[in-house]
Amino acid sequence: MDDHAGGPRAVAGPEPGAEKPVVGRDDELARLFRTVDSASADPVLILLGDVGMGKSALLDRAVRRAEASGARVLRAEGSETESSLAFSALHQLLRPVSAEVDGLPQRQRAALHGAFGAGSATAEADPMLIGVAVLGLLSALGDRGPVLVVLDDAQWFDRASLDALFFAARRLAGEPVTMLIAARLGDHLPGFDRHMPTLVLGPLDNAAAGRLLDMQPQRPTGRMRTQILAQADGNPLALTELAKAAGAHETAAGPPPTGPLPVADHLERIFADRLSGLPAPTTRALLLLAAMDTVDSAIAVPAVLPDAEDDAWPPAEQAGLVRRTGRGLRFSHPLVRSAVYHAASADARRAAHLALAELLRGEPDRRAWHLAAAATPPDAAVSAQLEQTADRARRRGGHEAAAKALQRAADLAPREDSARLLVEAAAQAVLTGDLAWVEELASAVRVRTDDASLLAGAAAQVGRLAALTVRHTVVFSRLADAAEELALTQPATALDLLAGAAVVRFYCGEDVQRHRIQAVLQSLPEDASHAWLHTWVRAVTDPFGNRAELLLLLPQVAAEARRHPDRLTAFAIMAWLLDETPQAVRAFDQAFDHWGMRGPLPEGLGGAAAWSYVEQGKWGRAREACARSSALGARTGLDHAVACAAAVDATVLAYQGDARAARARAEDALAMIDPLESRSVSVYARRALGAAALSEGAHEAAYAQLRRVFTADGAPVHYHASYPALADLAAAAVRSGRREEATAIVERAARALAAGASPRLRALISRARGLLADPEDAEPHFRAALADPVLEHWPFERAQTLLDLAEWLRRRRRIAEARAPLTEALETFRRLGARPWIERARAESRAAGLDVTVSTPDVLAELSPQQQHIIHLAARGLTNREIGEKLFLSPRTVSSHLYRSFPKLGITARSQLRDLIEDTLAVTDHRE
């Protein structure tokens, strides 16, 4: 049966003593033991089951198995009363290793201390850094021996703890760390339930259920036995507790009641029945125990609860409500806590919470929640304390805890403050990624106020999160409708809503949405103070249709960003959309340096940063941005953000020659989205698949993928994402016999863009025309594609054009002229690590009579793209921990990559790395 910590002096591990047999769970126990014993097994296993199915008993066996083999065990048990306290579960888990926390790097140590409320609150917490710190700590513990992390009743863990643990759990491969998680079947564990192997505990079969009944002190027989088997339906706890209840009622009241009650409710009623007749001191002690959480107990127990040896406790033990442990008392099951609490009168519960609040004056957050549990609305004073609790949770990164506190504060606040607090709660709930909760809060705002500003604020919060999901059509309509309604009365709010709608328009790519946005935008009165947001909406909605005018406005937006650094990212995105990539990269670098890439959610259009780095040849930096966006999206359940990062990552992998990995990442992206709801990501993924096919010389396959970037009649599927594929489409078309069709698409794009085409797009169109032209007509197009010096800011695209020109020149027997562009192209491909194009340029160079002896940097071609990235960071002097922090890997994983890389590089020590790639360090910025 499930045993859980539930009160004062609860021990971290299972109660010592003889093991009770676990009946009917041989297969499940074997699976747990394989996970604990085998280094090759999945490092994470989720154990799911209804109440009473035996999850905790199985975990106890696994713990004893691990301890017997010398493993370090860390254990945390969820508590319903602590689920509103940010990082409470993580604090419980890591409290036994607090000394090891102090050994983490300074930034990680500070992040954990801040999360636990023990550090500086001068800046908002970085949730990703907290996750890296947890991963680093578990890895460091693993250096000393195997580690088992046990998370029981995880459905009651606070969200901030779950996020940090999920981050670590996804990166435990190769670590001597195993994580076992138990939760109730049907409860949602953000992140875990979608990504981890799972073992579900079903009901015991009839034979096992019978054996369990035979083991009870009062073995039921006959009609009683049949009744219990039918009522318990294979639930081990139900079988044992119903057998006890039947024994108690056998002579006095007949068999236990029957009926269609769920097992949990029925059991809770059984436990509640045991309260009748208990002495008053026992009942009071049980209620106080049920009302407090595990951290309260360390403070409050000595003052309000009888000692474990007090006469109040034996009656509760005899009733099977509590049991003794090595260091005190605990409830025998969480349903006992629930039964005790809900069986008490409202006045008794209120008195218990007030008594605990009085003792917790030095713990303002816990005190506020106890006061809230005792309060009846309205209570402005308690509401204000919960607001303060929410602010502290927010600054520590506990956004779920902050939203819960604000939601409860709204329930207690006077009516005039209630809606405002709900809007603030929605703003925090957004950062958990829980769209249903945000919509619930927004609905509550609509019930409590008709204030247009607050209603618009609630709508904006829903849109802010929904824009990162795949429901783009529905979300756009909501945002556009709200903006339209407020255009005349509250233009500033309408513009803010329109800014969110523009983001959705970009992701969706539906052209009807552009007309709707433009119509609402034109109805808004001009206001100089809103100029930058006005520019944002125009740039995101139609960058090439307004490009000339938007370029004139860009300096003003840049100046605004300098005055307000929080707008740097928005400026960078606008610059990228307008193909002003150098400005975008500088702004993204500055923004990330200033803000430390913080934030619990992926940015709206956050893929722009990764694409900017891809375009400028900073592929390592692009993959870092993808890793962060993917981790954030996975943590918050935002598949669209994960898909966007996967599509960009797939493109880099294709350019680097890892076609298999590129295809896997692109297919992952496509599986997460509806191509009609998210045309942008669909196009990005198709471009990546096309690049992967081109890297292998599979031109038919490449053309098939790239052709899908345009509609059947040749129009772009997406108004921004499709155009950069034109040159690759032409390259694949020439080699697959599709020249005529591709020419029509290229010329249609040229006409559509007209004067709105950026220098970069004009160059890509010229390259495409050169590839598709008759041989005697190609040269002017290639020359035009290389004419503008600004094109050096897109090094990979420029190098491809140089190679195309050189190939054309050599075929025309102008070999001497071909050598200069070939040399430049090969140098660029080597610098970028574009292995397929390196090989193609080498072959062409040899045909042109050039000496292409493999130089030192090409040794890196033997490594995977991730290993190359790690090598470059290590060569710059970063430690394994610093590299891991940058790439969201554990130090052990970094070390493993280096260990496998050194033999391929022909070196034996880290100190040799700098000399090995010294020739490339001058251009490392192109990689990092």
Side-chain angles (χ1 to χ4, degrees):
M1 71 183 80
D2 290 342
D3 289 328
H4 303 263
R9 295 153 289 188
V11 295
E15 183 178 5
E19 288 185 343
K20 295 180 180 179
V22 179
V23 177
R25 298 296 189 200
D26 293 347
D27 292 343
E28 293 88 346
L29 204 55
R31 172 76 183 278
L32 281 178
F33 286 173
R34 286 198 303 273
T35 301
V36 171
D37 294 345
S38 174
S40 62
D42 290 316
V44 180
L45 180 64
I46 298 176
L47 188 62
L48 296 179
D50 287 327
V51 173
M53 282 296 179
K55 301 183 293 296
S56 293
L58 290 175
L59 289 181
D60 288 351
R61 287 297 189 90
V63 165
R64 294 187 186 195
R65 176 94 166 196
E67 289 177 335
S69 65
R72 177 72 175 268
V73 177
L74 298 177
R75 189 167 188 169
E77 296 175 334
S79 166
E80 193 169 12
T81 58
E82 293 190 51
S83 61
S84 299
L85 298 171
F87 295 108
S88 57
L90 187 64
H91 189 218
Q92 181 191 157
L93 182 75
L94 300 184
R95 191 161 40 196
V97 290
S98 57
E100 285 82 353
V101 171
D102 291 337
L104 290 172
Q106 190 276 329
R107 291 182 68 239
Q108 296 178 32
R109 182 172 67 249
L112 273 184
H113 285 164
F116 299 152
S120 169
T122 56
E124 290 194 21
D126 179 352
M128 301 306 294
L129 190 57
I130 294 169
V132 170
V134 173
L135 177 63
L137 177 63
L138 294 178
S139 181
L141 291 171
D143 289 339
R144 306 177 190 177
V147 177
L148 175 63
V149 177
V150 178
L151 312 176
D152 201 359
D153 270 332
Q155 75 277 355
W156 286 332
F157 277 27
D158 64 280
R159 178 60 184 273
S161 295
L162 276 176
D163 288 344
L165 290 166
F166 169 60
F167 178 94
R170 292 190 72 200
R171 293 160 176 80
L172 290 179
E175 302 285 343
V177 180
T178 302
M179 188 178 289
L180 301 179
I181 304 124
R184 289 187 181 178
L185 188 66
D187 284 317
H188 178 62
L189 292 184
F192 284 99
D193 51 356
R194 299 185 309 121
H195 297 276
M196 307 296 178
T198 300
L199 175 62
V200 178
L201 292 185
L204 298 180
D205 60 30
N206 289 336
R211 289 199 304 274
L212 185 59
L213 285 182
D214 290 340
M215 294 166 57
Q216 302 311 303
Q218 291 181 282
R219 176 176 174 269
T221 58
R223 186 172 65 86
M224 180 78 69
R225 183 186 185 91
T226 302
Q227 180 67 48
I228 292 172
L229 287 170
Q231 177 69 43
D233 193 26
N235 184 293
L237 181 61
L239 287 162
T240 56
E241 294 302 326
L242 289 173
K244 291 178 186 176
H249 286 78
E250 191 170 19
T251 56
T258 62
L261 292 172
V263 169
D265 291 345
H266 198 169
L267 288 176
E268 189 169 315
R269 200 170 84 185
I270 289 173
F271 289 133
D273 287 344
R274 296 181 190 173
L275 293 169
S276 61
L278 291 179
T282 301
T283 302
R284 181 176 182 275
L286 285 170
L287 179 55
L288 284 167
L289 187 58
M292 66 176 60
D293 62 44
T294 55
V295 178
D296 287 346
S297 65
I299 304 166
V301 165
V304 299
L305 278 181
D307 185 82
E309 304 305 320
D310 192 277
D311 290 342
W313 294 115
E317 288 184 82
Q318 292 164 12
L321 301 174
V322 297
R323 64 186 180 87
R324 294 181 183 273
T325 70
R327 296 186 298 181
L329 293 156
R330 65 197 297 173
F331 282 116
S332 58
H333 192 274
L335 288 181
V336 177
R337 175 197 289 272
S338 179
V340 168
Y341 187 81
H342 292 290
S345 68
D347 287 341
R349 292 198 299 267
R350 189 176 302 114
H353 284 295
L354 288 174
L356 291 168
E358 182 64 25
L359 289 164
L360 292 167
R361 288 187 174 276
E363 297 284 333
D365 296 337
R366 287 181 159 80
R367 172 179 166 79
W369 277 107
H370 282 298
L371 289 173
T376 54
D379 193 323
V382 176
S383 178
Q385 290 188 47
L386 284 170
E387 267 199 89
Q388 295 169 7
T389 287
D391 184 60
R392 285 188 290 269
R394 177 191 60 77
R395 285 186 278 116
R396 290 162 55 197
H399 299 288
E400 182 194 42
K404 285 183 175 180
L406 287 164
Q407 187 173 15
R408 179 58 176 150
D411 292 338
L412 295 174
R415 184 172 180 82
E416 59 269 20
D417 290 331
S418 181
R420 171 186 62 82
L421 290 167
L422 285 171
V423 173
E424 293 178 12
Q428 291 301 306
V430 161
L431 302 176
T432 70
D434 189 340
L435 182 58
W437 187 16
V438 178
E439 291 176 328
E440 173 194 325
L441 291 165
S443 296
V445 173
R446 291 192 289 273
V447 170
R448 300 190 195 188
T449 187
D450 56 4
D451 183 305
S453 178
L454 290 173
L455 291 172
Q461 295 304 335
V462 173
R464 180 184 175 197
L465 179 57
L468 298 171
T469 70
V470 294
R471 297 166 44 185
H472 298 314
T473 303
V474 172
V475 173
F476 179 85
S477 294
R478 289 180 181 175
L479 292 171
D481 288 347
E484 205 166 52
E485 290 174 11
L486 296 169
L488 296 179
T489 58
Q490 296 190 57
T493 304
L495 186 58
D496 193 44
L497 291 166
L498 212 56
V503 172
V504 182
R505 141 75 173 160
F506 181 89
Y507 284 141
C508 190
E510 174 60 61
D511 211 44
V512 173
Q513 296 169 345
R514 171 173 64 89
H515 300 304
R516 180 109 191 256
I517 288 173
Q518 289 173 340
V520 178
L521 198 61
Q522 289 169 5
S523 71
L524 297 175
E526 292 190 13
D527 186 333
S529 65
H530 301 144
W532 82 272
L533 199 54
H534 200 278
T535 306
W536 163 269
V537 173
R538 294 177 62 194
V540 174
T541 304
D542 191 14
F544 299 133
N546 299 291
R547 187 171 185 275
E549 187 177 347
L550 290 168
L551 285 178
L552 295 176
L553 296 173
L554 207 55
Q556 299 174 30
V557 180
E560 183 76 10
R562 286 192 291 271
R563 290 192 297 271
H564 303 281
D566 57 316
R567 296 177 183 171
L568 269 170
T569 300
F571 164 70
I573 291 171
M574 282 187 268
W576 170 72
L577 288 166
L578 295 169
D579 268 343
E580 294 295 310
T581 303
Q583 289 192 66
V585 167
R586 286 194 296 271
F588 278 126
D589 285 344
Q590 188 178 351
F592 294 155
D593 289 344
H594 189 280
W595 299 110
M597 294 184 75
R598 290 183 181 174
L601 283 183
E603 290 281 350
L605 296 186
W611 277 119
S612 296
Y613 292 131
V614 171
E615 291 168 10
Q616 204 166 57
K618 298 186 175 186
W619 293 350
R621 192 72 185 266
R623 297 203 70 197
E624 289 174 29
C626 289
R628 180 176 183 82
S629 185
S630 182
L632 285 169
R635 183 179 63 84
T636 47
L638 298 173
D639 283 349
H640 188 267
V642 178
C644 187
V648 185
D649 205 32
T651 303
V652 177
L653 289 166
Y655 291 168
Q656 292 174 324
D658 196 343
R660 182 176 178 180
R663 279 192 291 271
R665 292 289 278 153
E667 294 294 349
D668 285 345
L670 289 170
M672 293 181 200
I673 55 101
D674 179 340
L676 295 180
E677 286 284 319
S678 185
R679 290 170 176 82
S680 60
V681 173
S682 176
V683 167
Y684 293 148
R686 295 297 172 192
R687 280 169 49 185
L689 290 169
L694 283 173
S695 74
E696 296 177 315
H699 298 106
E700 288 276 0
Y703 187 82
Q705 294 294 342
L706 294 170
R707 182 62 183 82
R708 298 178 70 173
V709 171
F710 299 89
T711 65
D713 61 358
V717 168
H718 188 273
Y719 64 95
H720 186 273
S722 291
Y723 289 123
L726 287 168
D728 282 348
L729 177 79
V734 169
R735 294 170 175 82
S736 60
R738 309 296 180 87
R739 187 187 302 264
E740 185 176 340
E741 184 180 41
T743 299
I745 292 172
V746 170
E747 295 308 321
R748 175 172 178 154
R751 290 192 300 273
L753 287 166
S758 65
R760 176 206 181 192
L761 289 183
R762 287 198 297 271
L764 289 172
I765 290 171
S766 293
R767 180 190 169 212
R769 284 170 168 165
L771 290 165
L772 295 167
D774 291 334
E776 60 272 13
D777 299 326
E779 184 174 10
H781 298 300
F782 289 135
R783 299 291 185 189
L786 297 167
D788 194 334
V790 76
L791 299 174
E792 293 181 1
H793 293 295
W794 291 267
F796 184 61
E797 293 172 5
R798 175 178 168 81
Q800 287 178 301
T801 307
L802 287 166
L803 182 56
D804 290 335
L805 172 62
E807 288 176 337
W808 182 88
L809 288 169
R810 188 182 65 79
R811 290 191 187 99
R812 309 302 289 178
R813 301 189 181 280
R814 294 161 61 178
I815 294 175
E817 294 178 68
R819 289 171 179 166
L822 268 176
T823 300
E824 184 180 346
L826 181 56
E827 179 185 347
T828 300
F829 292 141
R830 281 174 168 167
R831 187 175 70 210
L832 296 173
R835 286 181 283 184
W837 284 266
I838 291 171
E839 292 306 316
R840 183 176 149 199
R842 277 182 186 157
E844 192 65 30
S845 297
R846 283 191 289 268
L850 290 172
D851 180 8
V852 287
T853 304
V854 175
S855 60
T856 300
D858 284 324
V859 175
L860 297 178
E862 296 295 319
L863 307 181
S864 72
Q866 185 171 58
Q867 287 172 336
Q868 291 182 45
H869 197 185
I870 290 171
I871 288 295
H872 276 268
L873 291 173
R876 285 166 46 186
L878 275 68
T879 67
N880 288 359
R881 281 183 167 180
E882 290 168 336
I883 296 170
E885 191 173 299
K886 200 173 187 67
L887 302 181
F888 308 114
L889 302 171
S890 74
R892 180 188 299 274
T893 299
V894 173
S895 176
S896 176
H897 278 300
L898 289 171
Y899 178 79
R900 293 197 299 269
S901 299
F902 281 10
K904 297 177 183 178
L905 298 175
I907 61 174
T908 58
R910 195 186 196 102
S911 58
Q912 298 171 274
L913 285 175
R914 180 172 291 276
D915 292 338
L916 177 75
I917 59 174
E918 187 175 13
D919 291 341
T920 64
L921 287 179
V923 291
T924 295
D925 283 343
H926 287 282
R927 299 289 303 277
E928 314 302 343

